Structures are given as C-alpha cells and as structure tokens.
Amino acid sequence: TVLAAYRTAYNLNKTLEGDEVAKAAKTMIEAWRENMPAIMDLGNQAMRPRHWEKLFKKLNLPWKGPNSAANISLSMLEANGIFDHKEFISEVSATASGEFQLEQSLNAVIKAWED
C-alpha cells in the first residue's frame, strides 16, 4: 500500500540522511499519498457515465458518451490536472454513492412488489 511504502521511505530517509535517492523516493510517495483519497473516489464503483461526464466537463475534456468512460486511465486524468479538483471529485463520488443507494432501495421495493 501507499502507506506502507511511505513508512519505508520515511525510515530510509532517516537512516540514510542526506541520500538524494531516499529523499526523492519519499517526496514521490508523499505526492501519491496526498492523492489517494481522490484516487479512491475515482475508483468508486457507483460512478456511472453521467458522473464521469461531469468530471470530463470540469477538465474541459471532450465527452463522447458512455464509451468515453470505458477509455479512462489514471495517467490520462493526471495529465489533464484531475488532482487540482480533489474537492469536486469527492462531491461527484458522494453523489454517485447516494444515487446508487437510492437505486438499490428502489430495486428492493420493485422486487417486493413483484413477489
């Protein structure tokens, strides 16, 4: 995990004080550590194409329908500045989770009516 890698890099940086490689590794891992909440939000299974469309519009990327969502990669999002919008990502992910819960509840009601 990123946390384990950070701990290792932190300890190496202390042990090898002044070592540029250890310092660079720690710095790189710190950057990813700061992005992990946004990465987790982007990986939310409740995210539907309509949510990705919002993110694409925020990044000023062309949206070509649900097929655009199939071609998303973290490196593509990163290259387009996705991590500059962490709060927006969190909001969209939370909305997706809430909508998913509503869909599940509605499906349960429909199933109960069918039985």
Side-chain angles (χ1 to χ4, degrees):
T1 66
V2 174
L3 184 57
Y6 177 77
R7 285 183 190 143
T8 301
Y10 179 81
N11 288 334
L12 276 174
N13 205 37
K14 282 178 65 175
T15 303
L16 304 172
E17 192 173 331
D19 184 85
E20 291 301 315
V21 174
K23 184 178 179 180
K26 181 178 174 252
T27 301
M28 288 172 44
I29 293 168
E30 281 175 341
W32 278 103
R33 183 177 176 205
E34 292 172 9
N35 293 333
M36 282 310 295
I39 292 169
M40 297 302 290
D41 285 338
L42 291 168
N44 183 349
Q45 294 295 315
M47 296 276 281
R48 302 288 184 255
R50 64 183 176 269
H51 304 113
W52 287 106
E53 181 178 7
K54 288 180 182 179
L55 291 174
F56 269 57
K57 285 182 179 180
K58 186 73 169 179
L59 296 173
N60 295 317
L61 293 174
W63 178 256
K64 299 173 185 166
N67 290 337
S68 294
N71 299 317
I72 297 171
S73 70
L74 185 58
S75 61
M76 181 272 292
L77 292 172
E78 182 183 20
N80 285 282
I82 192 71
F83 296 122
D84 296 335
H85 306 283
K86 292 176 186 174
E87 189 173 318
F88 185 74
I89 295 167
S90 179
E91 291 170 9
V92 171
S93 180
T95 298
S97 294
E99 290 173 0
F100 182 76
Q101 287 296 325
L102 286 172
E103 289 172 10
Q104 295 299 311
S105 297
L106 181 59
N107 288 337
V109 169
I110 290 170
K111 185 174 180 172
W113 284 348
E114 290 173 348
D115 293 339

